[in-house]
Amino acid sequence: MMQLPLTVGSLLERAEKFFPKKQVVSRTLSGIHHLTYKEIGQRTRRLASSLEKLGVKKGDRVGTLAWNHHRHLEIYFAAPGIGAVLHTINLRLSPEHITYIINHAEDKMLFVDEDILPLIERVKDSLKTVKAYIIMTDQDKLPRTSLQPAYSYERLLESGDPKHPFIQNIDENDPAGMCYTSATTGNPKGVVYSHRGIVLHSFALGLADTTAISEKDTCMAVVPMFHVNAWGMPFAATWFGSKQVLPGPMFTPKHLAEFIQEEKVSVTAGVPTIWLGLLNELERGSYDTSSLRAILCGGSAAPTAMIQAFEQKYKIPFLHAYGMTETTPLATISTLKSYQKDLDEAEVITIRSKQGLIVPGLEMKVIAGDNEVKWDGKEMGELLIRGPWIANEYYKDERTKESFKDGWLYTGDVATVDEEGNVKLVDRTKDLVKSGGEWISSVDLENALMAHEAVFESSVVGVPHPQWQERPIACVVLKDSYKGKVNKQELLDFIAPQFAKWWLPDEIIFMDDIPKTSVGKFLKRELRSRLKNYYIEA
Ligand code: ADP
């Protein structure tokens, strides 16, 4: 067979050639822009040539601090298109972590959204390798900034070459992108994505039994483009010529619902807290969501009740998937097998709310000690994954040793596998509640609580206990219309039939808001720290 390298540049080339009329709809700070792939292609090539003129070379890291919009999409292809490395930076991390990440990756250029300028201006004196800043703004004039030298993105494009070729002589294993995980302890860890890994992952997103992204779709990535390449959606959607909607910096539930209705979005992707917010919005307002054929949800466990609400009340099919920064990220996805369609509703929803089957191309096993667990849906162990879009190390990081062993990625996630091969995540190792020598799944308790009609959000954490080591405490946010009308006992009675008595949370604490991580997951570390003296003081 021919050895043609798989390259990121070729993904956009296909869209330019075959889908020049298809659109990218992009919201920025000042409004909504409509661009065709022909325009995106020319702008990307202009940018690529300007980057070369500014001295960016093969292998150089190009950092971005940006929301989901067309300019960010253009850098997604311009940087790898000249052999440089697209380094998306999570702009919601602390200034210390952002500084660490930029210095550790040795970014040469930084692309910065106008509204992120103050954040970078604050840390600029600590950035050791950055040679230039490129500011993304809709305004003609560059905003006032202390970053030097600073270039206007649009001015750079004007002086660029719209026919600039993408690099050809490249090894498909060369780096194309990188992303740091938001570490819960210590510094963030960097993962490097190869051209080959990104292209193969894009193939995976197009499979009928995964997300089936195709030309017929209108794809809206709500998951930030700085969080594992918006789960690879921008790459796959461009390659397949799908229309794309990039919701920009203001992705409130209302804006998302409006985009779905107006742009007839068919596939959208995001973490559960985004969809809890959308569900709330759909309950309040009246929107036409009939165009949606899939809500792709991952990043943390999708509550069963939420899946049911979308599917039964709004007739919106829900796709629960699992992955990590280290897995590009799609690793498993929940789908029914053809012979399971006739199962009763309860069985179907049980399967649908698992994380599902490993996607074609990857391999997995779940081990307890040295042995693989039984596929009985009960025995728990650590999930291990390997395959062509799974990282094999952390970038220049000693912690590689802990997570990559014998050719496998040790995910740090505890899971069971059922008879059909479906993975169900019990918890992250560190989130399992260890009570009296037994394990309690915080995810299962959260799921059960979020099935109550009054509960908007719930997060359960293990709190140090003098006798039991840890006990579960539930933090709950009630829906506005139920505030003050539901008490702890009602919620405990509601979930009690599903659990052994000792699993039930000792306490339910009502809150106005549950703290979230930089990518919208419940911030359990913060809850644990707030509650750490709960039993000591009691
Ligand atoms: P971060 O570490 O910043 O949260 P990642 O996106 O890499 O960023 O997090 C990956 C982790 O998220 C996984 O190891 C797993 O614990 C959790 N996760 C991802 N998808 C799911 C899911 N569908 N259900 C439960 N947990 C999930």
Side-chain angles (χ1 to χ4, degrees), residues 212-326:
I213 292 176
S214 82
E215 186 274 332
K216 294 170 196 66
D217 279 313
T218 296
C219 296
M220 179 167 76
V222 183
V223 49
M225 289 172 82
F226 55 74
H227 186 205
V228 212
N229 301 324
W231 299 349
M233 194 178 242
F235 289 123
T238 301
W239 195 19
F240 303 145
S242 325
K243 176 177 164 185
Q244 287 187 72
V245 178
L246 298 167
M250 292 159 293
F251 46 97
T252 60
K254 187 167 186 306
H255 279 126
L256 295 180
E258 285 167 0
F259 258 146
I260 292 168
Q261 173 169 290
E262 281 152 30
E263 298 299 337
K264 305 209 173 357
V265 171
S266 62
V267 189
T268 178
V271 293
T273 51
I274 293 284
W275 307 130
L276 286 170
L278 180 68
L279 202 55
N280 216 15
E281 181 62 29
L282 297 183
E283 275 165 23
R284 266 188 246 170
S286 160
Y287 298 94
D288 178 3
T289 56
S290 58
S291 57
L292 272 176
R293 71 158 181 85
I295 287 185
L296 180 62
C297 178
S300 44
T304 311
M306 179 173 78
I307 303 179
Q308 265 171 322
F310 274 114
E311 297 209 330
Q312 288 165 10
K313 190 159 175 201
Y314 297 101
K315 309 286 172 237
I316 303 172
F318 207 85
L319 272 181
H320 187 199
Y322 159 85
M324 307 169 75
T325 306
E326 295 83 337

Side-chain angles (χ1 to χ4, degrees), residues 114 117 133-137 139-145 147-155:
E114 193 178 356
L117 281 175
Y133 298 88
I134 299 165
I135 318 295
M136 293 183 281
T137 169
Q139 312 307 322
D140 285 337
K141 268 180 63 189
L142 209 54
R144 213 180 260 277
T145 176
L147 300 179
Q148 290 301 328
Y151 299 91
S152 152
Y153 184 94
E154 293 296 329
R155 293 292 89 74

Side-chain angles (χ1 to χ4, degrees), residues 90 93 180-184 227-228 231 272 297-302 320-327 329 332 353-355 411-414 425 427-431 443 517-519 521:
N90 182 342
L93 292 178
Y180 282 70
T181 67
S182 48
T184 36
H227 186 205
V228 212
W231 299 349
C297 178
S300 44
H320 187 199
Y322 159 85
M324 307 169 75
T325 306
E326 295 83 337
T327 64
T332 75
S353 50
K354 294 184 180 184
Q355 281 70 19
T411 64
D413 288 315
V414 178
L425 251 73
D427 233 325
R428 273 185 159 183
T429 316
K430 56 183 178 300
D431 292 334
V443 174
T517 72
S518 56
V519 290
K521 306 183 189 187

Side-chain angles (χ1 to χ4, degrees), residues 26 170 275 385 435 484 518:
S26 158
I170 195 163
W275 307 130
I385 305 180
S435 171
S518 56

